[in-house]
Amino acid sequence: MDAPLYSPKVVHDLLERHGMRPTKAFGQNFLIDGNILRMIVQSGEPAGTVYEVGPGLGVLTRELAASGLPVVTLEKDERLKPVLEETLADLENVQIVWGDALEFPWNDVPEGSVLIANLPYYISTAILTRIFESGRFKRATFLVQKEVAQRLIAPPASDQYGFLSALTALHGKARIVRDVPKGAFYPAPEVTSSVVRVDLTGQKPQKSLLRLLEAGLAHRRKTLRNNLQAAGYPVGKIDEVLANLGVSPTIRAEALTYAQWQGLHDGLSA
């Protein structure tokens, strides 16, 4: 093709030729900015086996394939089969997996894999949870809504802090690479996006600690004590452990440090 695949005209012509319109239900907002595409790939530093979720028209997939590494891309919308057969036909190092990325066996991917993706907004949190908890990835670089990006990097006691923040911090270190304007996509989304990179340690926190965090951070307007009690933790034990840690029973979960979370977990598990 004469013009690059991410050219707005090529994108429009491709969709029209295949009788397709982007589907909001699948979070389809196709990248049409070459500079952003290259920046995502450079920030992600492809290595090992590269995984992508939601290839759309294959725009980012082609950039990833240029690394020469094996690329596995997962797509749920089977209407895109003829499109991807056309746009990725000449790429021998790309494998397309058709199906729901939430049901993919992430725990079985090669150790040291890398995720680089323009994540569909509606499943971004669920996919990241599976990627982090698999322990198989060395890093993940992805586009998400700016609001989600801010939650990913939020420290304890900040307004955006929640379970996703805690989950990310337990598995690695996240940073926002840059914000991406709405005009970099077709169709333009309603919100600004951000490119986030998470360098992962590969360690797997105890599942009981993750359950504790999820329970404690379930409702921001409730105290930690009330959230844990609602989740079934014995209230007497909660009060005892909080007292031993020197933590007020009226504290909200988002104010706890990670050391206090670990102390709370160890105390409740004893």
Side-chain angles (χ1 to χ4, degrees):
M1 56 187 70
D2 297 328
L5 181 56
Y6 55 77
S7 157
K9 183 179 187 308
V10 172
V11 169
H12 293 161
D13 290 349
L14 190 63
L15 290 170
E16 186 173 334
R17 184 153 31 87
H18 288 278
M20 283 194 61
R21 298 184 67 181
T23 303
K24 191 172 184 179
F26 287 145
Q28 290 172 339
N29 299 97
F30 305 128
L31 273 165
I32 54 172
D33 187 314
N35 291 327
I36 298 295
L37 281 167
R38 289 183 286 273
M39 182 271 296
I40 294 170
V41 176
Q42 291 168 3
S43 301
E45 296 183 60
T49 302
V50 182
Y51 285 83
E52 179 190 22
V53 175
L57 306 180
V59 175
L60 178 57
T61 319
R62 292 195 67 87
E63 294 288 329
L64 296 173
S67 68
L69 296 166
V71 176
V72 179
T73 185
L74 290 82
E75 178 56 62
K76 182 177 182 179
D77 186 359
E78 296 200 6
R79 298 179 310 144
L80 289 167
K81 273 189 177 181
V83 178
L84 292 176
E85 285 172 358
E86 175 183 337
T87 61
L88 306 179
D90 58 329
L91 302 177
E92 296 181 356
N93 59 326
V94 174
Q95 176 189 359
I96 306 172
V97 176
W98 295 98
D100 191 340
L102 295 177
E103 298 175 3
F104 186 75
W106 294 108
N107 291 334
D108 298 336
V109 309
E111 190 171 354
S113 294
V114 168
L115 174 79
I116 303 177
N118 173 19
L119 291 177
Y121 288 163
Y122 76 108
I123 59 166
S124 57
T125 299
I127 284 294
L128 292 174
T129 299
R130 286 161 173 74
I131 295 293
F132 296 164
E133 293 184 351
S134 74
R136 309 300 289 177
F137 287 79
K138 65 191 302 183
R139 61 180 161 271
T141 304
F142 45 86
L143 266 164
V144 287
Q145 290 173 294
K146 184 174 182 177
E147 177 188 349
V148 175
Q150 290 173 332
R151 295 210 314 265
L152 282 158
I153 66 166
S158 64
D159 289 341
Q160 292 85 11
Y161 183 78
F163 176 67
L164 185 59
S165 321
L167 181 76
T168 305
L170 285 173
H171 287 92
K173 185 169 180 59
R175 64 181 175 90
I176 294 178
V177 178
R178 64 161 289 177
D179 292 338
V180 178
K182 302 173 187 178
F185 302 89
Y186 173 78
E190 297 175 357
V191 296
T192 300
S193 303
S194 298
V195 177
V196 180
R197 170 167 163 156
V198 184
D199 291 285
L200 298 158
T201 63
Q203 296 178 344
K204 287 191 171 186
Q206 296 159 282
K207 288 188 176 180
S208 53
L209 174 58
L210 295 176
R211 283 196 298 269
L212 177 67
L213 281 162
E214 190 168 17
L217 292 161
H219 304 285
R220 290 184 63 89
R221 294 187 178 184
K222 292 184 178 180
T223 64
L224 169 64
R225 180 181 187 272
N226 286 347
N227 276 339
L228 294 182
Q229 184 180 359
Y233 290 88
V235 67
K237 189 69 173 177
I238 297 169
D239 290 340
E240 176 190 335
V241 175
L242 290 177
N244 289 340
L245 293 173
V247 174
S248 168
T250 61
I251 196 170
R252 296 191 187 278
E254 56 267 28
L256 260 65
T257 65
Y258 291 112
Q260 287 173 321
W261 276 112
Q262 189 64 58
L264 180 62
H265 169 266
D266 294 346
L268 290 173
S269 302

